[in-house]
Amino acid sequence: QIVGCDHQLGSAVKEDNCGVCNGDGSTCRLVRGQYKSQLSASKLDDTVVAIPYGSRQVRLVLKGPDHLYLETKTLQGVKSENSLSTTGSFLVQNSSVDFQKFPDKEILRMSGPLTADFTIKIHYAGAADSSVQFIFYQPIIHRWRETDFFPCSASCGGGYQLTSAECFDLRSNRVVADQYCHYFPENIKPKPKLQECNLDPCPASDGYKQIMPYDLYHPLPRWESTPWTACSSSCGGGIQSRSVSCVEEDIQGHISPVEEWKCMYTPKMPVVQPCNIFDCPKWLAQEWSPCTVTCGQGLRYRVVLCIDHRGMHTGGCSPKTKPHIKEECVVPTPCYKPKEKLPVEAKLPWYKQAQELEEGTAISEEPSFIPEAWSTCSVTCGVGSQMRLVKCQVLLSFSQSVADLPIDECEGPKPVSQRACYSGPCSGETAEHTPEETQLLYGSLQELDELYDWEYEGFTECSESCGGGVQEAVVTCLNKQTREIADETLCVSSRRPPQLLKACSLDPCPPR
């Protein structure tokens, strides 16, 4: 037949984790945790955990190069140490200890109940860190115990008396400070009890005086408090305090302080409370304004306000944390700065000036084709060819620099990059050309470079004699070799120079 922990046949009663037969586990508490080594040059060992007298089912696992060892102290004050150097089972202060040692870990078990206070320590043995996991059931050795009623508050005429609670050490059977019972959250301090006492009337010179109803004319002691102090912080959460005391009021209404235990039948009012828990004012930045420029580099601005927890504009924000209200901004659109187009006066040699006006295209605010200078003729005599580079470029005004763009960014026809050139007859040749040469010079390449071309011949007379007028450049078709004026039809294939105007007769006209 089975036998329970109550030593009765047929009983299935077992001990709980605390070792109490048929217990509910309320006399002990589970403790578990982990320790990590903190290597230090100033110390060789450290405390892992203290396991008190009476603990059960102790298990520790060390992982790492360090080593465990024990320190013990009995209730009578006898101390001892054990280095735990080898694997095995042995007794330490009449407590059975099972120890296993492996190359990379150590395991310590003690079924308990421990007959002494054990302190588990670690001895540093290497540069690597170690960790220790531990678990055990710790007995609750301090419990609240209700006291008897205190003496009556009055010897006659009706008084009251209270009970209290004291912290009791179950091992030493003596009362200890309340803080020991606070270590165990499982412990609930019993509330004080109050009862009336010594209700007999008090003797007086003229006989016995009548005792009035207790609840109307002899109120119970009560808690009274002073006003709260100012909050320690204006926002973000502070604390404020007050003093609370137990007072008693007599039949005449006089109030006097009394011992606190007389008021313990009701909870004591809090002496500290949080205050101003709302958020502190903080900076709120509005959206950035558009950039002050439409291209290139500029500035943008924003409004920054100090907002309280209600969303109202207020003060109190730290100037050191205020976000900046302006910053630089760059609009990715390049800035195109046109050069001023002023009338150019045609001067000799007019042909050269006209050629420069045609070929020296200025870089403008819009992407435009910019041709470079023609190369020298590929031959020194006869018909050859010339080459030049044509780029698509734009002027960036904010940096005053020229940027190259892909060719397809420029609109309009691209200037030619190749043309024919004639360097005169070669030695021993006549000036006349074969039909093939004539076709080469004036036929298929006629649109690139003509023998006849437009040139400036000067300016017309001023359109006004005073008060400001204009002069227009005169363009004629010339033979490049003979410098003779030719029929304009010979220059049709060449691009006519732009019409040039210049101001003239700028002096004011005399009054009429």
Side-chain angles (χ1 to χ4, degrees), residues 195-496:
Q195 69 181 14
E196 295 176 322
C197 55
N198 292 346
L199 300 179
D200 296 333
C202 295
S205 58
D206 56 347
Y208 295 98
K209 63 180 180 180
Q210 183 179 7
I211 301 302
M212 303 304 293
Y214 185 86
D215 56 343
L216 292 178
Y217 295 96
H218 196 133
L220 291 174
R222 65 181 183 273
W223 296 109
E224 280 205 349
S225 63
T226 60
W228 290 106
T229 61
C231 193
S232 61
S233 177
S234 60
C235 62
I239 57 172
Q240 56 186 167
S241 60
R242 64 180 176 181
S243 59
V244 176
S245 59
C246 183
V247 298
E248 188 176 41
E249 185 177 354
D250 60 18
I251 295 177
Q252 287 76 32
H254 299 143
I255 297 176
S256 58
V258 294
E259 298 89 342
E260 282 199 354
W261 63 265
K262 294 183 179 181
C263 291
M264 292 301 291
Y265 66 92
T266 58
K268 186 178 181 179
M269 294 183 290
V271 296
V272 177
Q273 72 174 8
C275 53
N276 293 345
I277 58 176
F278 51 83
D279 292 337
C280 290
K282 55 187 176 183
W283 294 111
L284 179 64
Q286 306 292 324
E287 294 292 330
W288 285 106
S289 70
C291 203
T292 55
V293 296
T294 57
C295 65
Q297 186 170 355
L299 293 173
R300 63 177 184 173
Y301 297 85
R302 64 179 175 183
V303 176
V304 177
L305 302 175
C306 183
I307 303 298
D308 63 14
H309 65 284
R310 297 165 299 179
M312 304 295 292
H313 185 202
T314 183
C317 296
S318 172
K320 295 181 180 179
T321 61
K322 183 176 182 180
H324 55 278
I325 62 173
K326 73 173 182 177
E327 68 177 13
E328 293 183 351
C329 53
V330 176
V331 178
T333 304
C335 293
Y336 306 129
K337 183 177 180 180
K339 288 188 176 180
E340 295 181 358
K341 298 179 180 179
L342 299 177
V344 178
E345 183 178 357
K347 296 182 179 179
L348 290 174
W350 293 324
Y351 162 71
K352 180 179 179 182
Q353 184 180 7
Q355 189 179 41
E356 289 176 352
L357 287 173
E358 177 185 358
E359 297 180 355
T361 308
I363 302 175
S364 67
E365 63 178 352
E366 296 295 334
S368 54
F369 288 112
I370 307 297
E372 295 184 356
W374 286 107
S375 66
T376 57
C377 195
S378 61
V379 295
T380 57
C381 66
V383 179
S385 62
Q386 288 178 290
M387 309 290 290
R388 67 177 177 182
L389 286 177
V390 178
K391 296 181 179 180
C392 180
Q393 293 180 324
V394 69
L395 178 67
L396 305 179
S397 65
F398 68 93
S399 61
Q400 286 297 301
S401 60
V402 177
D404 292 335
L405 300 177
I407 293 298
D408 56 7
E409 290 290 329
C410 289
E411 297 181 356
K414 180 183 176 182
V416 295
S417 56
Q418 182 178 0
R419 70 179 181 184
C421 55
Y422 179 70
S423 303
C426 297
S427 58
E429 295 182 359
T430 63
E432 296 183 357
H433 303 288
T434 64
E436 291 78 8
E437 290 176 335
T438 304
Q439 176 66 21
L440 176 64
L441 276 175
Y442 306 118
S444 61
L445 295 179
Q446 190 173 10
E447 73 277 11
L448 300 178
D449 186 27
E450 291 286 344
L451 181 61
Y452 298 94
D453 205 350
W454 300 102
E455 290 194 18
Y456 290 99
E457 284 291 316
F459 283 86
T460 62
E461 292 184 0
C462 189
S463 61
E464 301 290 339
S465 60
C466 62
V470 293
Q471 288 178 289
E472 181 179 353
V474 178
V475 181
T476 58
C477 183
L478 292 180
N479 185 307
K480 293 182 179 181
Q481 293 183 357
T482 63
R483 309 300 298 169
E484 296 177 352
I485 297 176
D487 190 272
E488 289 189 0
T489 57
L490 297 175
C491 293
V492 169
S493 59
S494 297
R495 186 170 58 183
R496 189 183 185 95

Side-chain angles (χ1 to χ4, degrees), residues 16-133:
D16 63 5
N17 291 323
C18 308
V20 178
C21 184
N22 202 25
D24 60 0
S26 61
T27 61
C28 66
R29 60 199 301 259
L30 178 65
V31 178
R32 68 168 70 225
Q34 180 169 330
Y35 163 90
K36 289 188 177 180
S37 61
Q38 306 262 338
L39 296 179
S40 173
S42 61
K43 59 181 181 179
L44 300 176
D45 54 25
D46 197 11
T47 299
V48 176
V49 62
I51 306 177
Y53 174 94
S55 297
R56 293 171 177 263
Q57 303 180 38
V58 180
R59 185 175 187 270
L60 293 94
V61 178
L62 178 144
K63 294 182 180 179
D66 301 330
H67 303 295
L68 295 173
Y69 73 94
L70 304 177
E71 287 185 358
T72 60
K73 181 180 179 181
T74 66
L75 297 182
Q76 293 75 32
V78 179
K79 297 181 180 180
S80 67
E81 293 187 8
N82 191 295
S83 61
L84 301 176
S85 57
T86 58
T87 297
S89 297
F90 41 89
L91 289 177
V92 177
Q93 297 293 351
N94 292 325
S95 293
S96 177
V97 177
D98 180 60
F99 180 70
Q100 293 176 283
K101 189 177 183 67
F102 300 95
D104 58 344
K105 68 177 180 178
E106 296 179 358
I107 300 177
L108 175 66
R109 294 185 180 91
M110 295 182 287
S111 59
L114 301 185
T115 55
D117 291 330
F118 278 66
T119 302
I120 313 299
K121 292 197 171 185
I122 191 171
H123 180 77
Y124 298 138
D129 293 338
S130 294
S131 65
V132 180
Q133 292 182 331

